[in-house]
Amino acid sequence: MLSRWPPITVVCAAALGATVAFAQDDRGQGAVPSGNSGAVTVPQPPAQQAPPKSGLTPPQLTKFVAATYPAEAAERKLEGNVVLQLDIDASGRVAAVAVVNPAGHGFDEAAAEAARRFEFAPALRDGKPVAARILYRYAFTFKPAEPRPEATQQTPASPPLGRLSGVVRAAADAPVAGAELVVRDATGSERRVRSGEEGTWVLPELPDGLYTVIVQSPGYRKLEVQERVARGEATEVVYRLVPDGELQVVIRGARPPREVTRRTLERREIERIPGTNGDALRSLQNLPGVARPPGFAGVLVVRGSSAQDTNVFVDGTLVPLIYHFGGLSSAVPTELLERIDFYPGNFSAQYGRVTGGIVEVGIRSPRSDGKLHGMAQLDLIDARAMLEGPVPYAKGWHFAAAVRRSWVDTWLKPVLTSAGASVSAAPVYYDYQLIAETRPSERSSFRVSFIGSDDRLELLTKDTAEVDPVLTGNLRAYTGFYRAMARYRNDLADGVSLQSVTATGRNTIDVGVGSLFFKLDTVPVTNRTELTARVARGATLHTGVDMLWASSE
């Protein structure tokens, strides 16, 4: 059917910065498309015109879309002609576009993309719309952009307006915040401003002239003065208000945080604390309200309370002690610490069961740079070593392992024996930490860890006690604990976070003098889960579960 139709030739020319379109049907009647700079009709020579068959009207272009000049061609200043074959359906829409004579350099794609958005008055056969196929030539003509004409005459800049600013203070030289200032010009027009927290205020743009300034604030007498403002000059003033009746002082400041008595030592501070012999946890003994451990006990005394009234948490899990015998060394090495939070009292409901203080020790994440890192140290008191890096054959997991043991017993016992002392001492302590962590996502982390501490002290007497032979023999003291822990953290959304720590282990106390002894073993199971959500500006919701179950032997 389409092959019997006479061809319709349509020619379009486009240039950078302007678009001119031409359209011509076989009857010599111009179909004028719309363009940025209008359109004109170009008649064909009479020899090329052929009268249409009876009852057939070709499609007429009603909406022209200018093609984008290809960047490559514009850069090289190229021009080209693209002949397209357009299939137009019975509604006048372009159903298909095919390139018959390509021009390259991006012209083909640009012309086809523009033609797909053309709209036509459909072809008519005996007055009824029918589908048609036509040829359309798109001509690209390069036209450089015209430079902008330079301004031949510049309007001289007018001098800036004046500026009026100042400070509102009370008679006692204290700043008055929230005072209202009304600035009225000679015509009666007013501008209002309020003083800030420091009593400061400013009106940046004022025409020159004489202004009446009225200063008002609750509790103070109204002040009215006149100020002159000059164009291009800044005028600064200080207004002092006289109290109206009794003097009232309002103190404004930032609201204190939720834990008003928390003292936090970050990792960068931990590494620089002096006087701790390289053990950051010993810095707690130097904080206000904290006493050093009595005798051989590894506990803290906070504000004169009992040692049992202070809880110590390591990575969110309750542990019975934080120091070895006499507080010479802590049970967690400094190299694994991330932070130390100390609450000397008045802590929130997040912690309970005690009335003294809270020590929250945070353990850092193992290094995740894909390399192994190690450390070893030996002194007169103990020896320790640490290793961290990626977990073999476990993608995404990283570990940190540390161990420490005292070796005072290896040199003190021979010294006492050679001196002929009736008592020989063999104090020994050691601790260990093993941590493995992975990050399933950027917002979440999962950690499993195993930590422990062991303290043993044994005094061997050679002489028999004259008061009570039952007390003759060894004096021993043993304290120790270990914990297996699993911790999960997830920032569920902006302002919403979840943390849960579950742990179990064993606490052991064994004290004996001769044939008398006391031994206690407890097996605790704990879980601390906390959900934090920011519900509004300045309002945060904290909710959670704190569970402790223990069996004794």
Side-chain angles (χ1 to χ4, degrees):
M1 177 186 299
L2 298 179
S3 62
R4 293 185 295 140
W5 290 12
I8 302 173
T9 303
V10 183
V11 182
C12 172
L16 286 181
T19 302
V20 182
F22 306 90
Q24 177 74 29
D25 61 17
D26 57 296
R27 295 175 301 171
Q29 301 296 328
V32 183
S34 61
N36 293 341
S37 59
V40 297
T41 302
V42 179
Q44 292 183 343
Q48 296 180 359
Q49 296 182 357
K53 292 185 179 181
S54 176
L56 177 63
T57 301
Q60 303 293 324
L61 183 64
T62 61
K63 180 183 177 181
F64 172 77
V65 178
T68 303
Y69 211 97
E72 176 188 356
E75 183 179 357
R76 300 171 61 182
K77 301 181 179 179
L78 300 178
E79 299 180 350
N81 296 322
V82 182
V83 179
L84 305 173
Q85 177 180 283
L86 307 182
D87 290 347
I88 304 170
D89 59 18
S91 65
R93 302 247 180 212
V94 178
V97 179
V99 180
V100 178
N101 291 332
H105 304 291
F107 290 125
D108 305 336
E109 294 79 2
E113 177 63 26
R116 289 188 180 93
R117 293 179 287 168
F118 285 179
E119 294 183 6
F120 291 82
L124 301 178
R125 180 183 293 277
D126 298 331
K128 297 182 178 181
V130 294
R133 174 176 292 173
I134 65 172
L135 294 178
Y136 191 97
R137 187 178 68 179
Y138 215 121
F140 291 87
T141 302
F142 178 76
K143 182 179 180 182
E146 296 182 359
R148 293 183 177 180
E150 297 184 358
T152 58
Q153 183 177 1
Q154 295 183 354
T155 304
S158 59
L161 299 177
R163 172 190 174 99
L164 180 61
S165 62
V167 181
V168 180
R169 297 183 180 276
D173 208 33
V176 178
E180 182 183 26
L181 292 94
V182 180
V183 180
R184 183 184 303 142
D185 60 15
T187 63
S189 178
E190 295 182 352
R191 299 181 64 177
R192 297 174 181 268
V193 67
R194 287 188 177 273
S195 60
E197 292 186 0
E198 300 297 328
T200 58
W201 58 276
V202 60
L203 288 173
E205 297 181 356
L206 289 177
D208 55 348
L210 186 63
Y211 291 86
T212 300
V213 182
I214 302 174
V215 186
Q216 304 177 85
S217 181
Y220 295 92
R221 298 178 184 175
K222 182 174 69 172
L223 176 65
E224 183 173 340
V225 295
Q226 288 187 335
E227 304 289 349
R228 178 170 293 278
V229 176
R231 181 180 292 273
E233 297 182 1
T235 303
E236 296 185 0
V237 294
V238 177
Y239 296 141
R240 299 185 183 276
L241 301 183
V242 178
D244 186 7
E246 297 181 358
L247 178 62
Q248 296 181 358
V249 179
V250 179
I251 300 176
R252 301 177 184 270
R255 178 177 298 176
R258 182 167 59 116
E259 296 86 5
V260 296
T261 57
R262 180 177 66 181
R263 295 180 175 89
T264 300
L265 300 177
E266 300 289 348
R267 184 181 176 188
R268 59 184 179 181
E269 299 176 273
I270 291 173
E271 296 174 349
R272 294 174 173 83
I273 295 177
T276 60
N277 195 26
D279 195 336
L281 282 173
R282 293 181 60 188
S283 62
L284 293 174
Q285 305 174 22
N286 300 323
L287 293 178
V290 180
R292 296 180 179 273
F296 291 100
V299 295
L300 287 174
V301 176
V302 179
R303 292 184 175 177
S305 62
S306 172
Q308 288 74 23
D309 285 335
T310 297
N311 276 349
V312 178
F313 294 87
V314 175
D315 218 15
T317 299
L318 181 66
V319 297
L321 51 86
I322 194 62
Y323 296 111
H324 293 297
F325 281 138
L328 294 177
S329 178
S330 62
V332 180
T334 301
E335 290 76 15
L336 287 179
L337 296 183
E338 181 180 30
R339 75 182 194 285
I340 304 173
D341 290 337
F342 175 56
Y343 303 82
N346 195 27
F347 42 84
S348 69
Q350 180 184 7
Y351 305 97
R353 305 189 187 94
V354 293
T355 58
I358 296 293
V359 177
E360 178 77 51
V361 179
I363 297 180
R364 67 173 177 85
S365 299
R367 297 188 182 182
S368 57
D369 56 0
K371 302 178 181 179
L372 284 175
H373 301 264
M375 184 273 294
Q377 180 177 335
L378 177 66
D379 53 33
L380 291 177
I381 299 177
D382 56 33
R384 55 181 175 150
M386 187 177 71
L387 182 67
E388 59 181 322
V391 178
Y393 310 108
K395 185 178 179 180
W397 284 84
H398 299 84
F399 81 96
V403 64
R404 169 168 44 191
R405 187 191 187 280
S406 67
W407 64 293
V408 178
D409 57 314
T410 60
W411 58 265
L412 181 58
K413 185 176 180 179
V415 171
L416 294 176
T417 301
S418 60
S422 60
V423 177
S424 61
V428 178
Y429 67 80
Y430 59 87
D431 58 71
Y432 46 87
Q433 301 83 28
L434 177 61
I435 305 166
E437 183 176 283
T438 184
R439 291 186 172 273
S441 66
E442 294 182 357
R443 288 177 170 264
S444 62
S445 66
F446 179 70
R447 171 186 294 183
V448 291
S449 53
F450 185 76
I451 64 174
S453 173
D454 190 286
D455 293 74
R456 303 172 186 268
L457 176 63
E458 188 173 3
L459 300 178
L460 307 178
T461 61
K462 300 178 181 179
D463 301 331
T464 302
E466 299 179 357
V467 178
D468 190 349
V470 177
L471 300 178
T472 302
N474 300 341
L475 170 64
R476 67 183 186 277
Y478 169 77
T479 58
F481 75 92
Y482 66 82
R483 291 290 187 274
M485 303 178 292
R487 190 194 73 182
Y488 176 72
R489 288 179 176 176
N490 195 338
D491 294 332
L492 303 176
D494 293 340
V496 181
S497 61
L498 172 69
Q499 174 173 306
S500 181
V501 181
T502 302
T504 186
R506 178 180 290 270
N507 303 328
T508 301
I509 300 176
D510 187 0
V511 180
V513 179
S515 59
L516 303 178
F517 68 93
F518 171 80
K519 183 177 182 181
L520 175 64
D521 286 333
T522 58
V523 180
V525 177
T526 62
N527 175 266
R528 292 177 59 84
T529 301
E530 182 174 0
L531 177 66
T532 302
R534 184 179 301 169
V535 296
R537 183 178 180 181
T540 303
L541 173 66
H542 299 269
T543 183
V545 176
D546 182 8
M547 183 191 72
L548 171 61
W549 178 89
S551 62
S552 302
E553 300 178 1

